């Protein structure tokens, strides 16, 4: 069955430090992959997506993610974190195996940023 | 740009009461979704509508019903609310369902925080 795992429930970084949020998926073919961010009390906003092509994708707010097929991973990175990046981050997979499919979300990683 | 609008934003129900959560999108999207968000469990799909006139069950449909009223609106109904349905509910829409050609990016509403006592 398709699944998404975000191993880190909480991460704390200092402002200006680099960030990497992990996402691993279980899927039988090349999935569509997404990262969403949720600020407190808000809905989810798409940061970036991977459908095909270049495995390093750039998103909004200075985020990027790299699709590694051999590791079944789609980790999110940012070279220098800002205090406004404190939020919850969700990785999601879009199945492609026929029919009307849906996004499967990971449990989320809550990011705290220390000044 | 309104995007996806959900009403109400907050609701408290007593066990056994019924209510309908409303959702409307103004992006002319074909597909609409209802998710619930619970701590440590991410978002779980309740129901979805791939296109106007169709609805299908997601991962956790029990206790819910939906209506795709037209292309813009997709409502979620709780016929007899239970404490286990205390959650934050999100409506989303996308131009095309994941797996189909076209834009599958999902746009989310602000959420409805529902408490059942």
């Amino acid at each position: 069955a398709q699944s998404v795992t975000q191993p880190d429930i909480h991460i704390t970084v200092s402002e200006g430090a680099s960030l990497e949020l992990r996402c691993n998926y279980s899927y039988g073919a090349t999935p569509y992959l997404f990262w969403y961010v949720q600020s407190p009390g808000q809905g989810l906003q798409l940061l970036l997506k991977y459908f095909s092509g270049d495995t390093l994708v750039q998103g909004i707010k200075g985020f990027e993610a790299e699709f590694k097929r051999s590791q079944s991973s789609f980790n999110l990175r940012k070279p220098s974190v800002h205090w406004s990046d404190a939020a919850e981050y969700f990785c999601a997979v879009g199945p492609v195996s026929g029919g009307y499919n849906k996004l499967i979300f990971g449990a989320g990683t809550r990011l705290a940023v220390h000044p | 740009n309104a995007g996806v609008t959900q009403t109400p934003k907050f609701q408290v129900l007593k066990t056994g009461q019924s209510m309908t959560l409303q959702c409307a999108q103004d992006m002319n999207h074909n597909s609409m979704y209802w998710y619930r968000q619970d701590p440590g469990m991410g978002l779980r799909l309740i129901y979805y509508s791939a296109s106007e006139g169709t609805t299908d069950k997601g991962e956790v449909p029990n206790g819910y019903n939906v209506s795709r009223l037209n292309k813009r609106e997709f409502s979620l109904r709780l016929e007899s609310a239970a404490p286990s349905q205390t959650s934050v509910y999100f409506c989303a829409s996308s131009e095309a369902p994941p797996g189909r050609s076209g834009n599958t990016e999902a746009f989310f509403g602000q959420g409805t925080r529902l408490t059942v006592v």
Side-chain angles (χ1 to χ4, degrees):
Chain A
Q2 297 95 353
S3 65
V4 178
T5 303
Q6 294 180 245
D8 305 304
I9 298 173
H10 294 280
I11 283 184
T12 301
V13 300
S14 298
E15 191 169 17
S18 62
L19 172 70
E20 181 169 31
L21 302 183
R22 295 182 291 164
C23 172
N24 295 98
Y25 64 89
S26 172
Y27 192 72
T30 301
Y32 293 178
L33 294 158
F34 305 80
W35 273 100
Y36 283 85
V37 61
Q38 183 182 29
S39 298
Q42 302 296 311
L44 278 73
Q45 180 184 19
L46 182 73
L47 283 176
L48 47 78
K49 59 191 176 188
Y50 171 78
F51 287 172
S52 64
D54 193 346
T55 57
L56 183 64
V57 293
Q58 303 296 322
I60 62 171
K61 306 185 180 185
F63 286 92
E64 67 177 26
E66 186 171 13
F67 169 57
K68 293 186 177 180
R69 185 191 305 275
S70 62
Q71 299 177 17
S72 296
S73 69
F74 189 57
N75 294 348
L76 182 71
R77 300 194 294 249
K78 187 170 185 178
S80 178
V81 171
H82 188 264
W83 64 266
S84 60
D85 293 324
E88 190 155 21
Y89 293 80
F90 293 93
C91 181
V93 171
V96 295
S97 56
Y100 289 104
N101 301 296
K102 58 189 182 292
L103 290 178
I104 298 172
F105 284 84
T109 297
R110 187 170 296 278
L111 173 67
V113 180
H114 279 176
Chain B
N1 292 332
V4 179
T5 303
Q6 292 182 235
T7 55
K9 288 187 169 48
F10 301 94
Q11 184 71 50
V12 178
L13 291 179
K14 293 182 179 179
T15 298
Q17 286 186 317
S18 62
M19 80 161 295
T20 299
L21 280 64
Q22 306 288 352
C23 175
Q25 52 92 7
D26 62 1
M27 296 172 282
N28 200 36
H29 284 169
N30 292 302
S31 302
M32 298 185 74
Y33 314 82
W34 276 105
Y35 288 88
R36 60 177 290 173
Q37 182 181 30
D38 302 292
M41 304 191 74
L43 279 78
R44 292 180 292 168
L45 184 66
I46 305 171
Y47 270 92
Y48 65 103
S49 170
S51 60
E52 186 179 357
T54 69
T55 60
D56 286 283
K57 295 179 181 179
E59 302 170 74
V60 289
N62 292 345
Y64 305 95
N65 284 301
V66 290
S67 295
R68 184 74 183 267
L69 306 169
N70 48 55
K71 192 170 185 179
R72 288 186 66 248
E73 298 173 287
F74 188 39
S75 62
L76 178 72
R77 182 160 178 84
L78 286 71
E79 292 291 352
S80 179
S84 61
Q85 293 178 305
T86 294
S87 186
V88 181
Y89 291 84
F90 286 99
C91 178
S93 70
S94 67
E95 185 177 312
R100 296 297 180 98
S101 61
N103 191 346
T104 60
E105 173 185 348
F107 292 80
F108 285 81
Q110 300 276 55
T112 296
R113 187 173 295 275
L114 174 67
T115 303
V116 182
V117 298

